[in-house]
Amino acid sequence: MNISNGLEDVYIKNTSITFIDGEKGILRYRGYDIHELAENCTFEEVAYLMIFGELPSRNELVSFSGTVQKSFSLPSYVLNVIDALPQDADILSVFETAFAAFSSEERNFSWSREATLAKAPEILGHAAAVLAAAYRHSQGLKYNPPPASDSYAKSFLSASFGAVPERKIVDAMNRSLVLYADHEVPASTTAALVASSTLSDMYSSIAAAVAALRGPLHGGAAEAAYRQFTEIGRAENTDEWFSKNIIQGKKRLMGFGHRVYRTYDPRMAIFKSMAASLAKDEEERNLLRIAERLERLGVEKFSPKGIYPNTDFYSGIAFRCIGFPVTMFTSLFALSRTAGWIAHMSEYVENGGRIMRPRAVYIGHGPRELPGEKAR
Ligand code: SDX
């Protein structure tokens, strides 16, 4: 019986959403290259493309964005869930808990194209509002719902920061949301597929995905990679840190390696150049110098094994330059990936995807009797 460790090379569905060539470092959403999408499209356009298969017409975009923005307002019970949690609670936990609370209204949810059409923009709107509220809660600041605007990124940032940021910051947030929007079926998307394959509702299935995303081997890596840079402190300390921790200490270099890519993750370079163009002060430039040095050391050491920097290596510095603390990085990944989770779940369930029920090879005891004193 061949067991695939970590489901490596196991194919669980057909998809028309995202194409990855791990050898050449190619990533496309619905056939469009990630570089083109990141440069020219809004997150709303990419989310629509991902979920419905084609880029929206002007009218389709207006209607979709309008529904998203209607869901920026949160029911009081969701805000009460956030307020009930400690201010220093992990922000992704707050997001996951408050977002999952919406499933309390989903008793009669049933999967269909119509359901997806209605739910997708609602969920994207709720996700932005919940995350902004969770962030404000963590900062001990009053929360106001994202204001309607011409951009999802701008509305989300305005609610998070309490003011409309400058254009280049909005553009960077939008580009980050496009870059993280989907990546085929990593652990978090697979968790969403397992949950939705039982016909559980969308909110519950996304909560399952968020739970899987948290780990430092997956979505938590952006935070873990950034914490390497702050631990190193100065670029001149990088070589010694690398030798002590990665070479001798055999620790994983966070933000490096990937199950699919055997070359550079195409998203990495886009985040790197974004961080370089946004770095405004000596602290951010110092972080970049450390990251660039660590990247060189990591590639030198690991590229012969096909281990290269991935999307999470520089994304944290970009998020920090946008204005968020390290405690928000994985949640920003989750906000963006909500689009991909919805797309893959609806693609799977609406195409008759069966309940996911793998097997395990039994290697335990054969049949045996209870010990004397227990035998009845
Ligand atoms: C994301 O899948 C996706 O698409 C995910 C993602 C997305 O958009 O959804 O792209 C986002 O999660 C990116 C990955 C972020 N994670 C990290 O940066 C954490 C560090 N990376 C690794 O732990 C690892 O590379 C994984 C988890 C990403 C992939 O793990 P695999 O494919 O299971 O590889 P493995 O753990 O079996 O390692 C194989 C070998 C091992 O060496 P040997 O035991 O064979 O000697 O490679 C080594 C590992 O020790 N290795 C590393 C390493 N990654 C793998 N060694 C040092 N540093 C690393 N980062």
Side-chain angles (χ1 to χ4, degrees), residues 22 24-26 261-268 295 299 308-309:
K24 297 186 187 129
I26 295 171
Y261 288 120
R262 290 292 170 256
T263 184
Y264 287 94
D265 178 332
R267 299 165 294 179
M268 185 280 287
E295 178 193 342
V299 169
Y308 286 82

Side-chain angles (χ1 to χ4, degrees), residues 118-341:
K119 279 282 162 213
E122 174 196 300
I123 286 176
L124 290 169
H126 282 160
V130 168
L131 183 53
Y135 175 62
R136 298 291 284 184
H137 178 72
S138 76
Q139 302 294 308
L141 296 170
K142 186 176 169 318
Y143 165 70
N144 290 308
S149 81
D150 58 354
S151 140
Y152 185 85
K154 185 193 292 181
S155 296
F156 168 67
L157 290 177
S158 307
S160 298
F161 297 151
V164 179
E166 55 182 311
R167 174 66 193 262
K168 70 174 185 174
I169 297 295
V170 173
D171 289 348
M173 187 73 244
N174 180 72
R175 192 162 297 134
S176 304
L177 290 169
V178 169
L179 288 169
Y180 267 123
D182 192 56
H183 210 244
E184 198 211 65
V185 286
S188 54
T189 311
T190 302
L193 288 171
V194 170
S196 53
S197 78
T198 71
L199 302 186
S200 182
D201 70 282
M202 273 197 196
Y203 283 100
S204 301
S205 304
I206 289 171
V210 174
L213 186 76
R214 166 196 304 284
L217 294 186
H218 188 10
E223 176 175 338
Y226 183 88
R227 290 189 189 281
Q228 290 171 152
F229 309 148
T230 52
E231 188 182 316
I232 290 167
R234 308 283 314 153
E236 51 270 27
N237 305 336
T238 310
D239 294 55
E240 186 191 351
W241 181 92
F242 186 80
S243 167
K244 183 162 162 275
N245 290 276
I246 307 299
I247 306 291
Q248 294 154 43
K250 298 268 179 263
K251 278 188 194 166
R252 298 236 159 162
L253 183 56
M254 303 311 275
F256 258 67
H258 201 278
R259 177 63 64 77
V260 179
Y261 288 120
R262 290 292 170 256
T263 184
Y264 287 94
D265 178 332
R267 299 165 294 179
M268 185 280 287
I270 304 172
F271 270 119
K272 181 177 180 178
S273 92
M274 203 193 304
S277 67
L278 288 175
K280 58 189 170 302
D281 57 30
E282 179 42 31
E283 216 176 320
E284 288 165 354
R285 283 191 290 275
N286 174 56
L287 284 167
L288 258 179
R289 285 193 296 272
I290 294 168
E292 286 162 348
R293 181 72 195 135
L294 199 54
E295 178 193 342
R296 278 195 298 278
L297 291 167
V299 169
E300 205 175 287
K301 164 79 181 155
F302 295 117
S303 56
K305 289 174 76 174
I307 298 169
Y308 286 82
N310 59 53
T311 186
D312 295 323
F313 193 70
Y314 284 100
S315 59
I317 300 179
F319 288 148
R320 159 30 205 271
C321 295
I322 286 171
F324 287 110
V326 60
T327 49
M328 265 291 272
F329 294 175
T330 309
S331 301
L332 294 168
F333 185 152
L335 176 64
S336 163
R337 190 55 59 87
T338 300
W341 292 331

Side-chain angles (χ1 to χ4, degrees), residues 11-239:
Y11 290 78
I12 59 171
K13 69 182 281 216
N14 290 317
T15 188
S16 317
I17 299 167
T18 292
F19 170 78
I20 303 173
D21 181 327
E23 299 304 322
K24 297 186 187 129
I26 295 171
L27 172 58
R28 300 189 197 115
Y29 298 158
R30 300 280 187 192
Y32 297 108
D33 185 83
I34 192 65
H35 296 88
E36 279 203 274
L37 292 168
E39 196 52 40
N40 303 299
C41 292
T42 64
F43 175 66
E44 299 90 310
E45 288 171 318
V46 167
Y48 189 97
L49 167 71
M50 204 161 271
I51 296 165
F52 301 116
E54 294 299 339
L55 285 165
S57 66
R58 179 96 198 103
N59 289 343
E60 286 165 338
L61 183 61
V62 167
S63 156
F64 182 73
S65 301
T67 313
V68 169
Q69 305 207 9
K70 269 199 215 104
S71 304
F72 281 162
S73 65
L74 296 176
S76 54
Y77 75 83
V78 170
L79 290 169
N80 294 340
V81 166
I82 294 171
D83 287 343
L85 293 165
Q87 183 180 328
D88 65 351
D90 174 86
I91 297 175
L92 187 67
S93 296
V94 178
F95 174 76
E96 183 184 333
T97 310
F99 186 82
F102 279 107
S103 62
S104 62
E105 296 182 44
E106 298 297 303
R107 203 167 281 114
N108 305 317
F109 175 80
S110 74
W111 287 87
S112 67
R113 187 74 322 210
E114 296 66 40
T116 300
L117 275 164
K119 279 282 162 213
E122 174 196 300
I123 286 176
L124 290 169
H126 282 160
V130 168
L131 183 53
Y135 175 62
R136 298 291 284 184
H137 178 72
S138 76
Q139 302 294 308
L141 296 170
K142 186 176 169 318
Y143 165 70
N144 290 308
S149 81
D150 58 354
S151 140
Y152 185 85
K154 185 193 292 181
S155 296
F156 168 67
L157 290 177
S158 307
S160 298
F161 297 151
V164 179
E166 55 182 311
R167 174 66 193 262
K168 70 174 185 174
I169 297 295
V170 173
D171 289 348
M173 187 73 244
N174 180 72
R175 192 162 297 134
S176 304
L177 290 169
V178 169
L179 288 169
Y180 267 123
D182 192 56
H183 210 244
E184 198 211 65
V185 286
S188 54
T189 311
T190 302
L193 288 171
V194 170
S196 53
S197 78
T198 71
L199 302 186
S200 182
D201 70 282
M202 273 197 196
Y203 283 100
S204 301
S205 304
I206 289 171
V210 174
L213 186 76
R214 166 196 304 284
L217 294 186
H218 188 10
E223 176 175 338
Y226 183 88
R227 290 189 189 281
Q228 290 171 152
F229 309 148
T230 52
E231 188 182 316
I232 290 167
R234 308 283 314 153
E236 51 270 27
N237 305 336
T238 310
D239 294 55

